[in-house]
Amino acid sequence: MFNKHLWLKEWRGVRWIVVVLMLLFLYAQTGGLYSDAETWQTRYDYYQSDGFQKEQQAAGDAKMSPNDVKTTLTFRYLTTGFPGDVFSTQYTMSQPYFALSILVVILGLAMVGWERYTRKDHFALAAPFKRSSMIGTKLLLGFLAITVAYGVSLWLGLMRLFDVIPSEFIDLDMQKVYLGMIGNLGAFLLLFVVTIFVGTIMGELLSTVIALLIITIMPRYIYVVWWTFMQLLHPDIGSEKFSNWTSYTNVFLVFGNSEFEYGPFIWQMILLILFGVGSVFFYKRYSIENNGKVLAFSYLRIPSAILVSFGGAVLITNFWMGGGSVDGPALTGLFIISIGSFIGCLIICYMVLYRNAWVRR
């Protein structure tokens, strides 16, 4: 796993992606936090200006007290979505974070999926290296690239932010800070590991991309359908009881753990370990003869068909609920649509995996 030639091989294959990833992290996090620092400084200068003093005199009883001014300048949260009477950063709301998520997936695809699509894995697997060392190097290199890019860019941005904002205006809950920062890094790492995992069980690039879309977006749709079912089955239970599970379905999103709780964070780490172990397990058993197949392992056809059909049923049910009546869906209709769409998707999966000629067995 620590062979120099093995690391050089993997590095040459993804070096430009890693460089772009580092630059995009610097733009999104360092640049975003620099912008937040300027925003805070502008707000502070405004409160010190003569124009603000004149506005205060004209406001009469509605003028802001010194405590109100300090509250609006207090840095208390590292993300938006909290009460607007305090200062909170805006850098996580920028579009580059979506691009970063896509780029992390591309990094994983380049290491496994693209290598198989171009048949470069024929040469890689013939090299005098253990397969466990090869997949371990891929995972470690990806982890190292993402962690360094994330950590350096965040450190540079926070150093600037804390340099601008005086200590008397900083009131951070460190538990939320650590869970938020590590959770964000975990979201990027989880996207990368899931990509590697899917690439190890798929023999075709297009099917790998489709499976990734289903895995990453489906948890949120599952939560919506589950929430609707629970509200129809238990109308006397408040909606806030069900909303507590939102963070568990947002493990692939930056600041998806919006409540900064330990439960969703632990769940994210468990998924990270499971997909990592699964990647090593299947990579060691992969045969290059399966290149071009939808699934590289025939015994995964049935569980894959069930999971894909379940995801399709959830997606169709969401569309049906979105176009339903104003009063919301009926329980009977929801059951009929869900079960019917699941059976329909299962039939399609059967035709693709067992009856279509372009799927090699």
Side-chain angles (χ1 to χ4, degrees):
M1 185 184 299
F2 299 102
N3 186 285
K4 179 181 67 175
H5 300 288
L6 188 57
W7 278 82
L8 286 175
K9 168 192 169 296
E10 296 298 336
W11 169 251
R12 291 192 187 102
V14 297
R15 60 185 183 276
W16 294 115
I17 301 176
V18 173
V19 171
V20 175
L21 185 71
M22 183 68 196
L23 293 175
L24 194 54
F25 262 116
L26 288 171
Y27 177 77
Q29 297 202 135
T30 307
L33 287 168
Y34 265 64
S35 177
D36 287 331
E38 292 179 2
T39 300
W40 187 92
Q41 188 64 55
T42 301
R43 184 182 298 184
Y44 178 82
D45 294 340
Y46 166 70
Y47 286 137
Q48 305 301 318
S49 66
D50 294 335
F52 175 73
Q53 301 301 327
K54 292 179 181 179
E55 290 179 5
Q56 288 288 86
Q57 293 175 2
D61 295 336
K63 68 179 182 180
M64 297 177 64
S65 66
N67 188 57
D68 293 334
V69 172
K70 182 178 181 180
T71 299
T72 58
L73 291 172
T74 299
F75 178 33
R76 192 164 294 163
Y77 303 107
L78 272 168
T79 182
T80 57
F82 291 95
D85 57 347
V86 296
F87 178 79
S88 60
T89 55
Q90 304 289 323
Y91 75 101
T92 56
M93 306 302 290
S94 59
Q95 292 181 349
Y97 266 92
F98 177 75
L100 279 169
S101 300
I102 299 298
L103 196 57
V104 166
V105 171
I106 292 175
L107 178 63
L109 285 174
M111 287 184 171
V112 178
W114 184 253
E115 187 179 71
R116 289 178 177 173
Y117 178 76
T118 57
R119 300 293 197 254
K120 289 182 179 180
D121 59 340
H122 286 68
F123 301 96
L125 295 177
F129 302 114
K130 293 182 179 179
R131 290 198 177 189
S132 57
S133 298
M134 297 176 67
I135 187 62
T137 302
K138 294 177 186 292
L139 289 171
L140 286 176
L141 179 59
F143 272 51
L144 187 62
I146 295 171
T147 302
V148 171
Y150 177 87
V152 170
S153 60
L154 184 64
W155 178 76
L156 291 174
L158 289 176
M159 288 295 290
R160 171 61 178 172
L161 193 66
F162 291 140
D163 185 57
V164 170
I165 303 178
S167 59
E168 62 265 25
F169 292 106
I170 298 176
D171 184 23
L172 290 170
D173 186 334
M174 297 313 296
Q175 173 184 327
K176 294 182 177 180
V177 171
Y178 292 137
L179 285 178
M181 296 299 98
I182 300 176
N184 288 347
L185 176 59
F188 289 119
L189 294 178
L190 185 57
L191 281 171
F192 170 74
V193 173
V194 168
T195 305
I196 295 291
F197 172 78
V198 174
T200 60
I201 64 174
M202 297 287 184
E204 188 184 47
L205 185 61
L206 180 59
S207 60
T208 301
V209 174
I210 295 174
L212 283 172
L213 288 174
I214 293 174
I215 291 174
T216 54
I217 70 174
M218 203 50 59
R220 301 181 68 188
Y221 287 107
I222 293 174
Y223 174 72
V224 173
V225 174
W226 172 80
W227 190 356
T228 305
F229 265 117
M230 290 298 101
Q231 286 186 315
L232 291 173
L233 289 172
H234 306 283
D236 54 327
I237 299 179
S239 59
E240 65 279 355
K241 183 178 180 60
F242 302 122
S243 62
N244 293 335
W245 295 90
T246 305
S247 297
Y248 288 89
T249 63
N250 292 335
V251 290
F252 295 102
L253 300 178
V254 176
F255 279 118
N257 186 8
S258 56
E259 300 299 327
F260 300 102
E261 297 176 345
Y262 283 105
F265 173 74
I266 294 174
W267 171 239
Q268 186 183 61
M269 294 299 107
I270 291 174
L271 289 177
L272 191 63
I273 294 172
L274 289 177
F275 280 114
V277 172
S279 300
V280 176
F281 177 84
F282 285 109
Y283 192 87
K284 291 174 64 176
R285 288 156 179 80
Y286 184 84
S287 173
I288 57 177
E289 296 177 355
N290 294 324
N291 278 1
K293 292 184 179 180
V294 174
L295 286 170
F297 303 93
S298 58
Y299 55 82
L300 292 179
R301 288 179 178 179
I302 293 177
S304 297
I306 294 174
L307 288 175
V308 171
S309 300
F310 177 72
V314 169
L315 192 60
I316 293 172
T317 305
N318 268 273
F319 282 127
W320 178 77
M321 290 190 304
S325 62
V326 178
D327 297 331
L331 183 60
T332 303
L334 199 60
F335 268 114
I336 293 175
I337 292 296
S338 300
I339 296 175
S341 56
F342 175 78
I343 295 175
C345 291
L346 198 60
I347 293 174
I348 295 174
C349 288
Y350 172 78
M351 297 301 294
V352 171
L353 294 175
Y354 287 91
R355 295 301 180 186
N356 203 315
W358 58 270
V359 180
R360 286 182 281 165
R361 305 183 190 182

